[in-house]
Amino acid sequence: MERREEQPGAAGAGAAPALDFTVENVEKALHQLYYDPNIENKNLAQKWLMQAQVSPQAWHFSWQLLQPDKVPEIQYFGASALHIKISRYWSDIPTDQYESLKAQLFTQITRFASGSKIVLTRLCVALASLALSMMPDAWPCAVADMVRLFQAEDSPVDGQGRCLALLELLTVLPEEFQTSRLPQYRKGLVRASLAVECGAVFPLLEQLLQQPSSPSCVRQKVLKCFSSWVQLEVPLQDCEALIQAAFAALQDSELFDSSVEAIVNAISQPDAQRYVNTLLKLIPLVLGLQEQLRQAVQNGDMETSHGICRIAVALGENHSRALLDQVEHWQSFLALVNMIMFCTGIPGHYPVNETTSSLTLTFWYTLQDDILSFEAEKQAVYQQVYRPVYFQLVDVLLHKAQFPSDEEYGFWSSDEKEQFRIYRVDISDTLMYVYEMLGAELLSNLYDKLGRLLTSSEEPYSWQHTEALLYGFQSIAETIDVNYSDVVPGLIGLIPRISISNVQLADTVMFTIGALSEWLADHPVMINSVLPLVLHALGNPELSVSSVSTLKKICRECKYDLPPYAANIVAVSQDVLMKQIHKTSQCMWLMQALGFLLSALQVEEILKNLHSLISPYIQQLEKLAEEIPNPSNKLAIVHILGLLSNLFTTLDVSHHEDDHEGPEVRKLPVPQGPNPVVVVLQQVFQLIQKVLSKWLNDAQVVEAVCAIFEKSVKTLLDDFAPMVPQLCEMLGRMYSTIPQASALDLTRQLVHIFAHEPAHFPPIEALFLLVTSVTLTLFQQGPRDHPDIVDSFMQLLAQALKRKPDLFLCERLDVKAVFQCAVLALKFPEAPTVKASCGFFTELLPRCGEVESVGKVVQEDGRMLLVAVLEAIGGQASRSLMDCFADILFALNKHCFSLLSLWIKEALQPPGFPSARLSPEQKDTFSQQILRERVNKRRVKEMVKEFTLLCRGLHGTDYTADY
């Protein structure tokens, strides 16, 4: 078939010397793609071949590549090119060529029925695409025609070959529909047409599946074809006969997988719940698989047990509400639930001996939700039936959560251990959910079992059993408020009786204590029962994460009850820190724990403990400050600075008026004198400056220094005041020597908290002017290498305008230069930097009236800002940033309306600006829309999104779907 198309052929690259997409060149390129060892040549060949597939010449070379003398790789490319042309360039095909194209494809499919299977599939996909494009008007009975044509006796291909080719075509047709690019209105028409046409497909499939003479390969293809068609939401009652035939086929091991897939797809379609009578007929069929399931489990046949479980879960999970509604059939549904319970508790350890149990977990959520959604009377009836089932489920899940023997676990791969960990988390989530159904009785049940286990003298208990019961407790206590539970005191009493001989058990004991830390805060008399266990575990590197996180939780929740134990906690913590038992992150957590702990002590006690705790680190830091910088002492410095900043993050001796407020909250004054953190900071200030002097050009060290002060400022708020002058001076010196983003972030924090206070305004103003001047110089030298600095600088400027616009009143501040630099920052490729610059302008523009220098610069340079914004919307910036640019347009319109109405008309005047795709009318409409909208910011954002799509040529395309 020759094509008449306007599209020019793309140039060939590397794959073939000629520019023409000829058969010879395509074959050369394919040879290069498959056999050339050079990866660069392969990539060039692939690129060229992709261009060839969409070229006008593809209509010509595709048929030639399908010739019988070609190898399958070349034939496959020809068939793929045909599919691409039909599916993507359908509108280019003249209607008078539809029939000849259809006939050619039928001929090729018939020929390949006894040839290469991958080429046959590709040709079937091409014909399916053609059928979908022609249905229903140009080819009203497409499916019936396909069936008729392939059943014709005069074909040179044998009956089985024709049958398999037809089944392949019928299988790919619904699949191609699901992935087709048909417009929405066409999709609806074609779906309706296919729904009617399934009347020509299902009788054929039933006949082939039930015919004893059908070979296994044909029956397998029938099941795959059925599986494909049911995804078109065919009414479940129309599928009944085929579903029953698929259940019968489950007995044939060759057909098992295909049967499972077909049944699960049929049961899972969303529309199936409407056909309750058919669903009720399916329950006995599923229950009839129990013997096969038991045999499979007994024989270790994981594939069979997995498949049968998928079927049971598909029916239960998708239709539990519809089946529960049939109250008179409650016993058969309960039998299905018990079958799923068997699948949940399938013998063996997940994921080594079985992979089935995890499939069932979501079912239990669904069933519970459905039961609890009924009105009170019906719910009470079902609660009576299903509470015992859910108690059984808890036992089953805790059994499945048990670790294997130490010996067996030792043979597991790291991947298997990780899968098991995730599986236990899923079980934990399920137990937490089940608590809603079973309530406090669940905790009592777990406590009784644990009590019997630990106090029984009859038989030695396994640590795995104990660990699983504790894990159940921990799962619930982590998220449910157990403060009113009457079994927790008993549990806390039992924990010290547990003989801990194993890391996994010890970990779970720790995490359980951590989960009960809020309860301990309300019952401080019990702290002494468990705290020694936690402190003992701190010395074991294998329990690092669990012991440190548990201590941190206890110190956070129970800090006002811990003073009697403080000396011991500090001593043990110091010991493990000095011995370097824990990794860096756990050391940081431990310091945070100590910060919480010390916060509740008297100031003299805090200072005494701080002295003993941090003196060794200060001495180490003094020594490191004398050394010549090298990678190993850098790590040590960053570690020590990190320990200090984590300690100061949580060490807070004043009390917030409201613990849940943000940094705006004011704090009640400390009645006991100077803040201990400030005392320590002042003592080490000179040392930190000394360290800085040697490491100023190292971003990591500067960041670690800034983190100490930033975290202290956030925690202390007003109490940090004595440090402000010297910190401002140090920051100024740091930033003047080598500008770094972390220094600007700390400056922003100081501006946020202290700039509005008259006493602190002078040093903060001086620092603000200094960092601004240094950054402006950086802009003159070329800021492109420092997007992080520009980002932090923009955030600082925005914060200054928000908290203290007076900072922009100073004559020494070059507002014009700041404005121009921010416009430049709008053009950076880094999204965070652009976002921060937009944030600066949305704070600046509302100040036009109140700050004279701002008003003046906007009047002089505002048009430059508008042009930059329009360029960004026109395609220079990422579409994800359009809301930020819309905010600038909205602020300009609201605060500089008369100027904007002049600028926007002038700016949009030049042809091709901001995009060559725009007509003058579209630009005019946009400017009028923007100028009219001064109240609704959301509307402006929508206008900008529409306009940017027009500018990019994406309006009305698939790309806008998620936008």
Side-chain angles (χ1 to χ4, degrees):
M1 171 178 164
E2 292 297 327
R3 283 296 305 115
R4 304 189 293 272
E5 283 193 70
E6 297 302 319
Q7 187 179 337
L19 297 179
D20 290 337
F21 295 118
T22 61
V23 175
E24 294 74 24
N25 286 338
V26 169
E27 289 195 40
K28 280 182 195 168
L30 284 165
H31 188 275
Q32 194 166 320
L33 178 67
Y34 286 116
Y35 303 112
D36 194 318
N38 185 318
I39 194 73
E40 210 169 305
N41 289 346
K42 279 181 185 289
N43 291 339
L44 285 170
Q46 187 169 21
K47 196 174 175 185
W48 187 88
L49 286 164
M50 285 166 76
Q51 293 171 332
Q53 278 187 319
V54 298
S55 70
Q57 294 95 311
W59 287 115
H60 180 66
F61 67 63
S62 297
W63 302 108
Q64 290 181 291
L65 294 176
L66 289 166
Q67 295 299 322
D69 59 334
K70 306 293 182 193
V71 294
E73 290 94 330
I74 288 173
Q75 292 171 332
Y76 179 82
F77 183 79
S80 292
L82 281 173
H83 172 241
I84 286 170
K85 296 301 284 184
I86 293 168
S87 60
R88 295 192 198 169
Y89 301 99
W90 178 253
S91 58
D92 295 340
I93 305 173
T95 49
D96 62 357
Q97 295 195 19
Y98 288 177
E99 290 304 319
S100 65
L101 179 55
K102 187 204 301 183
Q104 281 176 288
L105 283 167
F106 268 121
T107 304
Q108 291 293 346
I109 289 171
T110 307
R111 195 162 62 75
F112 276 94
S114 52
S116 166
K117 291 289 169 273
I118 58 164
V119 181
L120 173 66
T121 300
R122 216 72 213 126
L123 287 167
C124 288
V125 172
L127 181 56
S129 186
L130 178 100
L132 295 172
S133 297
M134 291 175 72
M135 289 166 75
D137 302 328
W139 194 0
C141 302
V143 179
D145 284 355
M146 290 173 187
V147 173
R148 186 174 46 76
L149 275 162
F150 278 95
Q151 285 181 326
E153 294 297 332
D154 58 351
S155 169
V157 183
D158 68 273
Q160 185 176 314
R162 274 183 290 125
C163 182
L164 287 169
L166 172 61
L167 288 170
E168 182 64 29
L169 179 56
L170 293 176
T171 303
V172 300
L173 185 63
E175 291 168 357
E176 181 66 6
F177 172 75
Q178 304 285 13
T179 57
S180 67
R181 299 178 175 201
L182 293 172
Q184 210 53 45
Y185 79 96
R186 287 268 307 129
K187 239 182 173 170
L189 285 172
V190 175
R191 183 188 288 277
S193 185
L194 286 169
V196 173
E197 294 256 28
C198 82
V201 178
F202 281 18
L204 171 71
L205 299 184
E206 286 169 35
Q207 182 195 341
L208 288 169
L209 201 53
Q210 289 162 355
Q211 211 167 271
S213 60
S214 289
S216 186
C217 59
V218 169
R219 296 169 76 196
Q220 189 149 32
K221 203 75 200 141
V222 167
L223 289 163
K224 284 183 178 167
C225 185
F226 172 50
S227 191
S228 178
W229 274 82
V230 293
Q231 292 180 63
L232 293 174
E233 294 175 26
V234 179
L236 191 66
Q237 63 195 23
D238 296 351
C239 305
E240 250 183 69
L242 277 167
I243 292 174
Q244 289 184 350
F247 267 98
L250 287 168
Q251 303 306 317
D252 184 333
S253 59
E254 284 185 36
L255 302 178
F256 183 82
D257 290 345
S258 305
S259 302
V260 169
E261 213 58 50
I263 295 166
V264 169
N265 284 343
I267 293 173
S268 304
Q269 52 173 312
D271 201 38
Q273 61 197 19
R274 295 197 306 152
Y275 304 95
V276 177
N277 289 333
T278 305
L279 291 173
L280 288 169
K281 288 180 196 171
L282 293 178
I283 294 180
L285 291 175
V286 176
L287 295 176
L289 300 172
Q290 288 182 97
E291 186 50 41
Q292 191 180 354
L293 174 62
R294 269 191 278 275
Q295 285 294 320
V297 169
Q298 210 171 325
N299 300 332
D301 179 355
M302 283 166 70
E303 284 75 17
T304 301
S305 54
H306 195 82
I308 293 173
C309 173
R310 278 185 66 200
I311 293 171
V313 169
L315 183 57
E317 196 175 304
N318 287 294
H319 306 297
S320 66
R321 176 71 200 218
L323 293 168
L324 285 166
D325 269 328
Q326 310 307 305
V327 181
E328 65 278 18
H329 295 280
W330 70 272
Q331 284 172 304
S332 65
F333 184 61
L334 180 60
L336 177 68
V337 171
N338 284 325
M339 182 178 174
I340 295 173
M341 180 75 80
F342 176 81
C343 295
T344 304
I346 208 158
H349 287 288
Y350 181 94
V352 176
N353 317 111
E354 62 91 7
T355 54
T356 299
S357 56
S358 62
L359 300 177
T360 65
L361 298 180
T362 316
F363 164 74
W364 299 107
Y365 285 74
T366 308
L367 178 61
Q368 179 176 312
D369 284 345
D370 289 336
I371 291 169
L372 298 180
S373 70
F374 284 121
E375 72 282 358
E377 196 179 331
K378 201 169 184 181
Q379 191 185 130
V381 171
Y382 274 130
Q383 283 261 21
Q384 209 174 344
V385 174
Y386 283 100
R387 274 177 72 84
V389 174
Y390 272 85
F391 273 114
Q392 186 192 346
L393 173 68
V394 171
D395 290 345
V396 167
L397 289 176
L398 291 177
H399 182 72
K400 293 297 293 180
Q402 285 187 25
F403 279 89
S405 69
D406 293 339
E407 188 184 356
E408 194 183 331
Y409 193 63
F411 286 112
W412 284 19
S413 69
S414 57
D415 188 43
E416 287 166 341
K417 287 177 180 175
E418 177 58 12
Q419 282 184 57
F420 182 58
R421 185 193 68 76
I422 294 166
Y423 174 67
R424 278 172 49 101
V425 170
D426 291 340
I427 286 177
S428 171
D429 292 343
T430 311
L431 289 170
M432 180 194 78
Y433 206 76
V434 167
Y435 183 83
E436 191 186 347
M437 178 90 142
L438 303 180
E441 200 183 331
L442 172 55
L443 290 176
S444 305
N445 185 291
L446 292 174
Y447 172 66
D448 291 344
K449 285 191 171 75
L450 188 64
R452 281 199 300 275
L453 194 67
L454 295 177
T455 54
S456 165
S457 54
E458 289 172 25
E459 52 182 278
Y461 61 86
S462 73
W463 70 262
Q464 286 93 339
H465 197 169
T466 310
E467 190 278 335
L469 286 167
L470 272 179
Y471 186 68
F473 248 112
Q474 176 210 323
S475 303
I476 296 160
E478 262 177 346
T479 42
I480 308 289
D481 182 3
V482 294
N483 279 9
Y484 304 103
S485 167
D486 54 358
V487 302
V488 176
L491 174 67
I492 295 279
L494 282 176
I495 285 175
R497 300 184 61 154
I498 296 170
S499 167
I500 301 176
S501 55
N502 172 283
V503 170
Q504 283 91 0
L505 175 58
D507 257 335
T508 303
V509 168
M510 285 302 113
F511 285 127
T512 306
I513 295 169
L516 295 171
S517 55
E518 284 183 41
W519 185 90
L520 288 168
D522 290 339
H523 305 83
V525 71
M526 303 298 284
I527 291 172
N528 198 34
S529 301
V530 290
L531 187 60
L533 290 174
V534 179
L535 294 178
H536 178 71
L538 275 183
N540 184 344
E542 289 185 294
L543 304 178
S544 182
V545 173
S546 59
S547 62
V548 175
S549 67
T550 297
L551 181 64
K552 184 181 164 184
K553 282 181 181 175
I554 291 173
C555 290
R556 185 181 65 217
E557 300 300 334
C558 312
K559 62 182 175 186
Y560 297 113
D561 301 298
L562 291 179
Y565 314 104
N568 194 17
I569 295 171
V570 172
V572 172
S573 301
Q574 262 185 288
D575 185 51
V576 298
L577 283 165
M578 283 296 127
K579 287 177 180 168
Q580 297 180 342
I581 284 171
H582 301 290
K583 289 181 180 170
T584 301
S585 52
Q586 276 71 55
C587 293
M588 302 306 158
W589 291 358
L590 190 49
M591 278 303 205
Q592 287 179 24
L594 294 171
F596 285 125
L597 172 75
L598 298 180
S599 300
L601 304 180
Q602 296 296 312
V603 169
E604 312 84 69
E605 281 297 304
I606 296 173
L607 286 168
K608 195 171 84 181
N609 277 295
L610 276 177
H611 179 72
S612 68
L613 184 63
I614 64 179
S615 286
Y617 293 111
I618 302 303
Q619 287 164 14
Q620 205 180 336
L621 199 57
E622 282 171 344
K623 189 162 161 274
L624 290 164
E626 299 295 334
E627 293 176 10
I628 297 161
N630 67 61
S632 67
N633 58 26
K634 172 188 158 174
L635 279 176
I637 288 169
V638 170
H639 181 74
I640 292 168
L641 295 174
L643 292 174
L644 294 176
S645 65
N646 276 280
L647 177 64
F648 297 155
T649 301
T650 53
L651 179 44
D652 184 7
V653 294
S654 58
H655 306 294
H656 291 270
E657 288 171 26
D658 182 348
D659 280 346
H660 305 292
E661 295 289 327
E664 292 288 340
V665 73
R666 279 288 153 265
K667 294 158 78 178
L668 303 175
V670 186
Q672 306 155 303
N675 190 296
V677 173
V678 175
V679 172
V680 172
L681 283 175
Q682 285 175 327
Q683 286 171 358
V684 299
F685 198 82
Q686 296 299 322
L687 174 58
I688 287 173
Q689 282 187 308
K690 190 174 180 182
V691 170
L692 260 182
S693 66
K694 286 195 176 176
W695 290 91
L696 254 182
N697 60 347
D698 189 290
Q700 230 182 324
V701 175
V702 171
E703 217 169 287
V705 168
C706 289
I708 289 181
F709 294 105
E710 193 175 351
K711 288 179 177 176
S712 304
V713 169
K714 278 182 180 170
T715 309
L716 303 178
L717 302 178
D718 291 343
D719 290 350
F720 190 83
M723 295 291 300
V724 171
Q726 59 198 120
L727 182 56
C728 286
E729 193 187 330
M730 184 183 90
L731 275 173
R733 279 205 305 276
M734 273 167 61
Y735 197 74
S736 304
T737 315
I738 294 177
Q740 299 212 16
S742 49
L744 290 174
D745 296 334
L746 181 50
T747 305
R748 186 177 83 244
Q749 201 68 42
L750 292 173
V751 167
H752 176 63
I753 294 169
F754 295 108
H756 64 285
E757 293 183 12
H760 300 305
F761 185 71
I764 284 176
E765 182 189 41
L767 174 61
F768 178 74
L769 292 171
L770 178 62
V771 297
T772 302
S773 166
V774 171
T775 312
L776 292 177
T777 308
L778 192 72
F779 264 91
Q780 288 166 0
Q781 295 161 356
R784 276 300 305 114
D785 295 336
H786 308 285
D788 56 334
I789 291 177
V790 177
D791 181 354
S792 295
F793 181 53
M794 292 298 139
Q795 289 187 55
L796 168 62
L797 294 172
Q799 185 69 266
L801 286 161
K802 195 186 287 186
R803 292 294 285 177
K804 193 70 176 170
D806 292 8
L807 287 166
F808 274 70
L809 293 172
C810 179
E811 288 176 8
R812 283 181 291 148
L813 182 70
D814 190 343
V815 179
K816 190 178 180 74
V818 166
F819 187 94
Q820 289 171 348
C821 289
V823 171
L824 190 62
L826 288 176
K827 300 176 184 182
F828 272 44
E830 291 81 9
T833 307
V834 177
K835 217 170 188 174
S837 312
C838 291
F840 162 66
F841 282 116
T842 52
E843 290 294 339
L844 180 90
L845 293 168
R847 305 281 187 282
C848 283
E850 63 189 77
V851 181
E852 190 187 337
S853 56
V854 170
K856 186 166 178 272
V857 79
V858 170
Q859 201 154 5
E860 290 170 4
D861 293 337
R863 189 178 179 283
M864 174 172 67
L865 168 63
L866 177 65
V867 169
V869 169
L870 291 172
E871 280 175 352
I873 296 169
Q876 296 289 319
S878 161
R879 276 163 52 205
S880 64
L881 293 165
M882 289 305 111
D883 280 358
C884 303
F885 289 106
D887 287 341
I888 298 179
L889 278 181
F890 183 76
L892 279 167
N893 201 23
K894 195 170 179 180
H895 303 285
C896 323
F897 177 72
S898 55
L899 292 167
L900 179 65
S901 50
L902 288 173
W903 293 336
I904 199 164
K905 285 185 176 62
E906 287 174 17
L908 290 172
Q909 201 72 45
F913 181 84
S915 163
R917 294 186 177 91
L918 296 174
S919 67
E921 292 75 25
Q922 287 171 322
K923 293 199 269 188
D924 196 42
T925 304
F926 176 67
S927 62
Q928 285 175 24
Q929 283 178 327
I930 291 292
L931 292 168
R932 268 200 302 269
E933 193 51 79
R934 301 178 67 187
V935 179
N936 191 332
K937 192 187 282 190
R938 187 179 56 78
R939 278 288 303 122
V940 174
K941 288 180 178 178
E942 285 168 8
M943 291 168 196
V944 167
K945 281 182 179 176
E946 287 285 309
F947 192 63
T948 197
L949 291 172
L950 286 170
C951 291
R952 297 163 199 258
L954 297 175
H955 199 272
T957 66
D958 291 350
Y959 291 101
T960 64
D962 300 322
Y963 186 47

